[in-house]
Amino acid sequence: MTAELQVPIGLRTHLAHAVVDCVAREIGADVLHIKGPAVDDGLRPVELITHDDGSTTSRTVPRLSTDADVLVRPSQARALVAALIKHGWSVVTRFETGSIFEHAASLWHTQLGYVDLHRRFPGVDLDAEAAFDVLWSERLERHIAHQPCPVPSTDGQRLILLLHAARGGGVRHPDAQLLWEGASADEQKRCRDLAARLDADLALAAASGRLDDFVGHPAEHLWRLLSANREPSRAEIFAARWRATPGLRARLHLLARVALLNTDHLSMRLGHAASRRDVLTAYAQRVPLFGREAGKAGRRLLARIRGRR
């Protein structure tokens, strides 16, 4: 009997990027590799190493990632998912169930691990196809696992990492400290200019501490919650999403998504495909949970109203 070969996660992620790129080329899909090993060395933290003789040298710290993140041209997203399935990947979460932004599908391969396939990037409000065109037109190339992979421009990479930081702590996120606070005035200006072209000004403001510039914007409260240093409740997120969602049709879609159970996430939590019984049990557990969260949100709102008097 031969022992199963265990590929280190860091190496596995590099290989996943390279293989996904090969599959995309095979079907003629345009992809941009983002985050993790796709990030330019100039956007990575640098650490000083002190040697025994007292001398010091510096080295670029690798960006560790447990999955491969790829941005695909939105009109080609379904085709790429289908092609990856033919090459051994299985869908864990669909675009519609992956997050509140419905922006990415997560796929799993037994040897290559996870890939997060993005059809848009949260915080970019420009039409997804048009936004991809902007990033694609300025693409660079980076070798990952010896495979030439298209990546956004350096400014594009900086902006994407900052938009990601905006959803994970805002100005307190390490990437916000490194890539915004540590950026030069010219780098910040170029980043703001690109954000304006992609209609990503609000999300960038959440990462750079400028949300007060957007008071009254329909999505301001949502990005305050996402960039806050605490876990917001479902009720808070729903109220903020409702305020940020324009039009009756979009709000009806939001209501439908909130009402329906996310069976993909339930299956992930259970560790197996959710049965009908599992789904019914989960629905039954949601009623008191939503009641408690709505009560907490109501008490917070009442406290704010009283505080303004």
Side-chain angles (χ1 to χ4, degrees), residues 80-273:
L80 184 54
V81 169
L84 290 173
I85 290 172
K86 290 181 180 178
H87 283 79
W89 265 272
S90 58
V91 176
V92 179
T93 59
R94 294 160 290 156
F95 290 111
E96 296 81 5
T97 61
S99 78
I100 64 171
F101 294 100
E102 301 183 21
H103 71 288
S106 181
L107 294 91
W108 166 258
H109 190 285
T110 52
Q111 279 81 45
L112 299 170
Y114 285 101
V115 58
D116 279 350
L117 191 63
H118 300 247
R119 61 179 178 180
R120 66 172 67 92
F121 205 82
V124 175
D125 291 331
L126 181 66
D127 171 78
E129 196 80 18
F132 188 90
D133 282 336
V134 171
L135 295 172
W136 182 255
S137 69
E138 300 172 358
R139 68 190 181 279
L140 303 174
E141 190 176 87
R142 182 175 180 86
H143 281 75
I144 306 175
H146 304 289
Q147 170 73 16
C149 296
V151 299
S153 68
T154 304
D155 293 332
Q157 293 178 45
R158 185 189 302 276
L159 178 61
I160 285 172
L161 291 172
L162 286 169
L163 298 184
H164 183 257
R167 291 183 285 138
V171 294
R172 290 168 294 276
H173 193 285
D175 278 341
Q177 298 291 321
L178 174 68
L179 301 175
W180 185 259
E181 294 300 328
S184 68
D186 183 59
E187 288 169 336
Q188 289 184 353
K189 181 181 183 304
R190 294 203 309 269
C191 191
R192 285 196 303 269
D193 290 345
L194 179 57
R197 292 167 60 198
L198 296 175
D199 196 7
D201 312 75
L202 176 59
L204 178 59
S208 57
R210 298 181 297 109
L211 272 177
D212 286 346
D213 294 345
F214 292 85
V215 171
H217 189 288
E220 174 214 348
H221 188 55
L222 176 61
W223 284 98
R224 285 197 187 277
L225 284 176
L226 295 173
S227 62
N229 194 27
R230 67 177 180 85
E231 186 72 24
S233 70
R234 287 184 178 91
E236 288 178 302
I237 288 292
F238 173 74
R241 290 174 67 190
W242 182 267
R243 189 184 306 176
T245 301
L248 177 61
R249 184 175 179 178
R251 285 187 168 183
L252 289 175
H253 176 79
L254 172 60
L255 282 174
R257 286 296 173 201
V258 171
L260 293 174
L261 182 70
N262 190 328
T263 53
D264 289 343
H265 283 188
L266 177 61
S267 297
M268 289 175 63
R269 181 163 55 85
L270 295 174
H272 59 78

